[in-house]
Amino acid sequence: MTTNSISSEHAAEVRAGRRFEFGANWKRFLSSLNDERIMEAERSLQRWLSVDRLDGVRFLDIGSGSGLFSLAARRLGAVVTSFDYDSQSVACTAALRERYFSADPAWTVMAGSVLSADYMHSLGTYDVVYSWGVLHHTGQMWQGIEQAHRRVAPGGLLFLALYNDQGKISSFWRAVKRTYCHNTIGRWLVLGVFVPVFAGINLLADIKNGRSPRAVYVNYVRNRGMSLIHDWVDWLGGYPFEVAGAGDVHTFLHARGFTLEKLSTTPSLGCNEFLFVRNAAPNH
């Protein structure tokens, strides 16, 4: 698919209410980007990959979003390839590249779809393939995981975060997200109901624990450099929406020649995080 065809297909899905405008939310997020957020993103990669630096490591960012983690990887020395299906996300990533690494040949930014086997094959293989909170928004999550793992070089790492399967609760949130994306009325209805609910839950927790009501918003930056308000919007509107149990993901990738190195699971809403290593002699 060409860049123009990707952009046209994405726009048609948004108009039809089948897709959230992730890139628009990331563009707003970048207005709050600062050194603290960037350093937290770097620390997240260092912690999960058990490294201090990534000098010379080939790093593929699937669904680069704001571009923050591509930037973090590049600052740690990686040779980075970033792509996204959303043209505004591509623009966000390109803007960060221009701001911090202008004309740098070691950071490539592209439009592309993880669901395109031809496109993915054209990228080659990488030492680290990173896709945090992306593949469950493709509409074909397992195909996305299949294409992502094929880009990992033997001995390389696959770092994924995927929404946890909560059964009926997940079905409820899928309906909320579908309502958000359906039209303007649906969007404001969802925001009007759930943002006060989320804020109220945080306020009650702060009162119970004797914390400042501002603390949760200020300290949220420690969560991978993210912003709580932008994450709320991403959660409420993030559609398509699929989920996976941690065991199902492990079974899927183990059968394809991967060994689980690290796992962080959530008991409720949110993502399970996985770090897999590809065996030296992959099965597929």
Side-chain angles (χ1 to χ4, degrees):
M1 298 174 69
T2 66
T3 299
N4 287 339
S5 65
I6 290 172
S7 180
S8 297
E9 181 177 299
H10 176 269
E13 290 177 336
V14 170
R15 286 194 302 271
R18 297 196 304 270
R19 185 169 296 277
F20 174 64
E21 292 186 276
F22 293 96
N25 192 44
W26 288 126
K27 184 178 180 180
R28 292 187 291 269
F29 166 76
L30 287 186
S31 66
S32 68
L33 185 66
N34 54 27
D35 289 343
E36 183 182 13
R37 294 190 188 280
I38 296 169
M39 291 176 66
E40 287 293 344
E42 290 178 18
R43 280 192 279 267
S44 172
L45 290 179
Q46 290 169 321
R47 183 172 61 254
W48 267 90
L49 301 178
S50 300
V51 297
D52 293 321
R53 297 282 303 170
L54 290 169
D55 295 311
V57 169
R58 297 165 299 161
F59 186 98
L60 177 63
D61 189 356
I62 296 176
S64 56
S66 68
L68 174 58
F69 282 85
S70 289
L71 172 62
R74 184 68 194 98
R75 280 169 51 114
L76 292 173
V79 177
V80 178
T81 298
S82 316
F83 76 87
D84 204 292
Y85 179 67
D86 185 313
S87 60
Q88 291 193 75
S89 291
V90 176
C92 287
T93 305
L96 288 191
R97 177 183 181 273
E98 180 62 25
R99 186 189 310 176
Y100 293 97
F101 287 91
S102 181
D104 181 6
W107 185 357
T108 301
V109 180
M110 297 182 288
S113 171
V114 70
L115 300 180
S116 170
D118 290 342
Y119 172 75
M120 293 297 289
H121 181 74
S122 74
L123 297 176
T125 58
Y126 295 80
D127 303 307
V128 177
V129 173
Y130 176 88
S131 191
W132 208 105
V134 172
L135 301 179
H136 50 229
H137 290 313
T138 61
Q140 298 179 60
M141 180 182 65
W142 293 106
Q143 182 181 338
I145 298 172
E146 178 73 27
Q147 294 302 327
H149 89 68
R150 291 177 180 272
R151 297 305 98 219
V152 182
L157 298 171
L158 176 63
F159 186 1
L160 299 176
L162 299 166
Y163 278 137
N164 185 42
D165 186 354
Q166 291 189 277
K168 291 182 179 180
I169 296 175
S170 296
S171 297
F172 167 77
W173 283 113
R174 184 177 295 108
V176 170
K177 294 163 187 284
R178 190 165 55 242
T179 299
Y180 182 106
C181 292
H182 183 66
N183 55 32
T184 302
I185 294 173
R187 178 167 66 253
W188 287 111
L189 176 63
V190 168
L191 290 172
V193 170
F194 287 100
V195 169
V197 169
F198 292 166
I201 290 171
N202 284 336
L203 178 60
L204 290 174
D206 291 335
I207 293 172
K208 179 181 178 181
N209 294 294
R211 296 189 303 249
S212 164
R214 295 182 63 251
V216 66
Y217 302 95
V218 173
N219 295 333
Y220 195 79
V221 67
R222 297 172 188 167
N223 180 25
R224 305 173 57 251
M226 295 290 100
S227 158
L228 181 58
I229 301 301
H230 295 92
D231 275 3
W232 281 353
V233 174
D234 182 281
W235 170 255
L236 292 172
Y239 192 74
F241 171 74
E242 293 178 84
V243 295
D248 293 333
V249 177
H250 176 263
T251 298
F252 185 88
L253 286 166
H254 180 73
R256 287 158 175 77
F258 284 78
T259 299
L260 182 64
E261 291 284 295
K262 290 184 181 181
L263 171 65
S264 176
T265 59
T266 177
S268 56
L269 304 178
C271 291
N272 297 319
E273 297 174 273
F274 309 84
L275 183 68
F276 289 92
V277 62
R278 185 163 203 165
N279 301 335
N283 295 341
H284 292 0

